[in-house]
């Protein structure tokens, strides 16, 4: 299946822990994104990479660190997890996303719960 | 004030009804306008997009953009229970060189059989 995939789908962890979420796309796209969706369904961009180069870095705590080992992968590492980090995190990809608009394809999401 | 405002609902309608979903925005620099549909526990998927004022139709769905009023709408005709989902409007600035989407909060729609 051609798609954007994320692992894990669910993540339950204690405050203060460090965790990672992985994203892979096999669509051949050159741009990947991380979004956070809060409990009110508000979806907000966090980061974007184009050809492994960081092009969007929103006002996100530096506890969040994205890493793109290649064009097909974009991982998100979160240090010292806090209660407010509980949300659904979506990965997305597009082709040629650096200018104008190109359709973004979203993954199924990772539901993070911090206890 | 958010850049894009969308009534979160929930909106409940009987099957067969015409549904109207709306977003307003404050910055006239937005150029591209999209509607995404998100089923429960799934990722958003693109439903329609447009970049000019006027109407765009695709089956039972019509997207409408009024740039002078800074207002966009999505109409669903003959609504079906399978249309029950959250609908998110999204926009991109004319000058964007990052592809950054600005989303509305999403409207939750329930179509009752």
């Amino acid at each position: 299946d051609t798609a954007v995939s994320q692992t894990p789908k669910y993540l339950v962890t204690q405050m203060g822990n460090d965790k990672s979420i992985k994203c892979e796309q096999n669509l051949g796209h050159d741009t990947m994104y991380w979004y956070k969706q809060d409990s009110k369904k508000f979806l907000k961009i966090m980061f974007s990479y184009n050809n492994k180069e960081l092009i969007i870095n929103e006002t996100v705590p530096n506890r969040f660190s994205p890493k793109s080992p290649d064009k097909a992968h974009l991982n998100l590492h979160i240090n010292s997890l806090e209660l407010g980090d509980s949300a659904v995190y979506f990965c997305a990809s597009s082709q040629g996303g650096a200018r104008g608009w190109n359709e973004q394809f979203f993954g199924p999401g990772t539901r993070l719960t911090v206890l | 004030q958010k850049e894009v405002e969308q009534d979160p609902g929930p909106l409940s309608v009987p099957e067969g009804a015409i549904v109207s979903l709306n977003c307003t925005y404050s910055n006239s620099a937005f150029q591209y306008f999209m509607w995404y549909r998100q089923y429960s526990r799934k990722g958003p998927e693109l439903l329609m997009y447009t970049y000019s004022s006027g109407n765009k139709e695709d089956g039972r769905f019509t997207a409408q953009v009024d740039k002078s009023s800074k207002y966009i709408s999505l109409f669903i005709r003959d609504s079906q229970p399978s249309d029950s989902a959250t609908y998110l409007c999204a926009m991109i600035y004319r000058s964007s060189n990052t592809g950054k989407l600005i989303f509305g909060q999403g409207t939750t729609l329930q179509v009752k059989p």
Side-chain angles (χ1 to χ4, degrees), chain A residues 11-62:
Chain A
L11 190 50
V12 181
T13 188
Q14 299 286 331
M15 262 196 318
N17 283 350
D18 303 340
K19 289 293 178 186
S20 291
I21 307 172
K22 294 187 176 183
C23 178
E24 177 181 2
Q25 56 93 4
N26 61 7
L27 298 165
H29 291 165
D30 60 5
T31 306
M32 297 184 72
Y33 311 80
W34 277 113
Y35 286 86
K36 179 181 180 180
Q37 188 171 46
D38 63 22
S39 58
K40 294 185 178 178
K41 295 287 183 80
F42 188 56
L43 193 61
K44 194 167 189 297
I45 185 81
M46 299 173 70
F47 301 104
S48 172
Y49 273 76
N50 176 254
N51 284 317
K52 302 197 317 177
E53 180 186 347
L54 183 66
I55 57 169
I56 297 176
N57 186 353
E58 289 293 290
T59 309
V60 175
N62 56 17

Side-chain angles (χ1 to χ4, degrees), chain B residues 12-20 60 76-80 83 111:
Chain B
S12 183
V13 301
E15 184 175 353
I18 296 174
V19 176
S20 171
R60 296 185 296 112
I76 308 174
R77 289 185 298 281
D78 187 25
S79 57
Q80 302 295 309
D83 295 328
V111 181

Side-chain angles (χ1 to χ4, degrees), chain A residues 9-10 33 35 37 40-43 45 48 55-56 58 90 97-101 103-104 106-108 111, chain B residues 2 32 34 36 38 41-44 46 49 86 88 92 95-101 103-106 108:
Chain A
K9 195 165 183 179
Y10 298 95
Y33 311 80
Y35 286 86
Q37 188 171 46
K40 294 185 178 178
K41 295 287 183 80
F42 188 56
L43 193 61
I45 185 81
S48 172
I55 57 169
I56 297 176
E58 289 293 290
F90 287 99
R99 179 165 293 279
W101 175 74
E103 183 179 354
Q104 293 182 22
F106 284 79
R111 187 170 294 270
Chain B
K2 291 194 175 77
Y32 298 95
M34 289 126 259
Y36 279 82
Q38 185 178 18
R41 306 250 166 185
K42 301 286 186 185
L46 182 68
Y49 77 93
T86 297
L88 301 139
I92 288 187
S95 58
S96 172
N97 59 359
T98 63
K100 177 181 170 182
L101 284 174
F103 280 90
Q105 190 175 337
T108 299

Side-chain angles (χ1 to χ4, degrees), chain B residues 19-24 33 35 48 50 54-56 62-66 71-76 89:
Chain B
V19 176
S20 171
L21 305 167
N22 311 296
C23 288
T24 58
F33 305 91
W35 286 96
M48 297 187 74
T50 184
N55 293 353
K56 183 176 182 180
T62 299
Q64 188 176 79
V65 174
D66 183 347
Y71 190 88
I72 69 170
S73 299
L74 178 71
F75 298 97
I76 308 174
C89 64

